[in-house]
Amino acid sequence: MRRVFSGIQPTGTPHLGNYLGAIESWVSLQSEPGSVLYSIVDLHSITVPQDPAVLRQSILDMTAALLACGIDPERSILFRQSQVAEHTQLSWILTCMVRLPRLQHLHQWKAKSAQQKHDGTVGLLTYPVLQAADVLLYKSTHVPVGEDQVQHMELVQDLARGFNKKYGEFFPVPKSILTSMKKVKSLRDPSAKMSKSDPDRLATVRITDSPEEIVQKFRKAVTDFTSEVTYDPARREGVSNLVAIHSAVTGLPVEEVVRQSAGLDTARYKLLVADAVIEKLAPIKSEIEKLKMDKDHLEKVLEAGSARAKELAYPVCQEVNRLVGFL
């Protein structure tokens, strides 16, 4: 049976890149045959220091955002990772199967440990193994991933194969579902992807931004000295990023977006894209505000989802324990 798993960290409000690159495809996957599990991966979030009160609120805010975007607890299992203890149990077993150099060669470890100099924690090094446990715990067959997670998916697949080779065929080797929307780039530095942690507040459009904030951010978006609207990611990163965003929020092919924008200079085009983004995000923003007023409802959704996830995870973890020799 096809089973899809994916997770999102509860750190900061989802931005336009999260929505177009991941959440929108999560919503559509609910309509396909099989089962889908979406986890708010709060264990992953503490690989960097977190304020406990802020983290608690962020978990609820992320739940509200996912529900507002169209994640339906009747058609998928939405749950908190930390409420299913089997994630960490399986993670330890898998950690004992992977060699240190493999983790040290992952590009995200290299990038993040370089940023943090000597402050990079063991959790930051080993979180890709927890990520593998998240996927394998539910015998997932498919995982939606962005381009920057392909290396981590290779680790998941290798750990599944390694476990099966040692203990007998048990885990499916999951396949990647590459999302159709490529990385949404920063509005201020189109060579980098849009990020929640970008220090330049004009670089990232959050799905809860006001219309005024969205207009300001697109007005200040970096383009180039050619005023014509074209799509050429290699030579015109900034304008091409705007075209890709415009295409994604309207559902129109890139070629049609460019054709309809003939005769517009980039200054006017930025406002056109801003309006399209505002129109797309307005109902989501309104629903988030409504959901955030009902904390009890959000907590009940997560509790119910975690109970359903636990029902799937417990027998898998018990069988792993038996295969390894713990039972």
Side-chain angles (χ1 to χ4, degrees):
M1 185 183 74
R2 175 180 159 111
R3 176 167 288 157
V4 174
F5 177 92
S6 197
I8 190 167
Q9 290 198 34
T11 46
T13 306
H15 57 65
L16 190 62
N18 298 138
Y19 176 69
L20 296 175
I23 299 171
E24 205 170 38
S25 69
W26 285 15
V27 173
S28 63
L29 285 167
Q30 294 178 127
S31 304
E32 297 185 14
S35 58
V36 285
L37 295 100
Y38 298 131
S39 182
I40 296 175
V41 288
D42 46 356
L43 294 173
H44 287 291
S45 68
I46 64 167
T47 54
V48 294
Q50 300 289 338
D51 178 294
V54 172
L55 180 58
R56 273 190 287 272
Q57 186 59 51
S58 295
I59 290 165
L60 294 178
D61 289 351
M62 182 59 74
T63 307
L66 293 175
L67 295 174
C69 288
I71 299 302
D72 180 358
E74 299 297 319
R75 296 193 295 153
S76 59
I77 298 175
L78 176 62
F79 72 101
R80 265 179 65 191
Q81 179 193 32
S82 64
Q83 290 183 322
V84 183
E86 286 78 4
H87 284 258
T88 49
Q89 290 178 38
L90 181 56
S91 178
W92 176 249
I93 292 168
L94 296 178
T95 298
C96 295
M97 295 178 60
V98 64
R99 298 192 180 279
L100 183 60
R102 178 72 190 273
L103 299 180
Q104 290 172 321
H105 287 139
L106 293 173
H107 61 76
Q108 289 206 20
W109 162 253
K110 288 179 179 177
K112 290 180 179 179
S113 60
Q115 286 172 1
Q116 298 188 21
K117 300 198 164 94
H118 298 297
D119 294 330
T121 64
V122 174
L124 191 62
L125 176 69
T126 61
Y127 90 87
V129 186
L130 176 57
Q131 213 169 36
D134 297 338
V135 173
L136 298 179
L137 182 60
Y138 301 98
K139 292 195 165 181
S140 309
T141 60
H142 293 79
V143 182
V145 293
E147 291 171 332
D148 57 341
Q149 288 293 324
V150 168
Q151 220 183 15
H152 286 185
M153 264 306 290
E154 289 170 355
L155 177 65
V156 177
Q157 293 162 340
D158 287 349
L159 282 168
R161 291 188 191 100
F163 188 95
N164 293 345
K165 185 177 180 181
K166 187 169 185 179
Y167 298 108
E169 287 299 317
F170 184 70
F171 290 119
V173 178
K175 295 181 173 67
S176 298
I177 303 173
L178 279 169
T179 53
S180 56
M181 178 68 191
K182 301 297 184 188
K183 289 181 197 169
V184 176
K185 302 299 180 70
S186 160
L187 295 184
R188 299 294 289 164
D189 176 9
S191 67
K193 72 174 186 176
M194 191 173 281
S195 169
K196 294 176 191 173
S197 57
D198 197 310
D200 186 343
R201 71 172 192 85
L202 296 175
T204 302
V205 175
R206 288 169 173 77
I207 63 174
T208 52
D209 280 350
S210 69
E212 294 75 20
E213 288 172 317
I214 293 172
V215 167
Q216 184 195 27
K217 288 175 181 182
F218 277 98
R219 198 192 291 275
K220 297 285 188 180
V222 169
T223 51
D224 53 34
F225 297 108
T226 304
S227 63
E228 186 184 4
V229 177
T230 61
Y231 186 73
D232 185 355
R235 289 183 290 187
R236 303 193 70 199
E237 286 183 308
V239 175
S240 297
N241 186 40
L242 298 182
V243 171
I245 291 170
H246 194 188
S247 168
V249 298
T250 59
L252 295 171
V254 163
E255 298 78 15
E256 181 61 17
V257 165
V258 172
R259 190 189 68 77
Q260 290 186 9
S261 306
L264 290 179
D265 61 26
T266 48
R268 286 167 63 203
Y269 182 63
K270 287 177 183 180
L271 299 181
L272 185 68
V273 179
D275 286 343
V277 170
I278 290 164
E279 185 178 345
K280 181 75 172 179
L281 296 182
I284 295 170
K285 182 175 183 291
S286 173
E287 185 65 11
I288 288 172
E289 289 167 359
K290 189 170 81 175
L291 285 164
K292 283 171 74 170
M293 301 290 286
D294 193 348
K295 180 183 173 185
D296 287 347
H297 171 66
L298 297 175
E299 288 178 341
K300 282 175 184 170
V301 166
L302 291 178
E303 284 169 14
S306 297
R308 289 171 67 197
K310 179 101 177 170
E311 283 178 17
L312 297 174
Y314 179 78
V316 173
C317 207
Q318 287 295 98
E319 184 61 13
V320 168
N321 285 339
R322 188 190 69 77
L323 289 169
V324 169
F326 295 155
L327 295 178

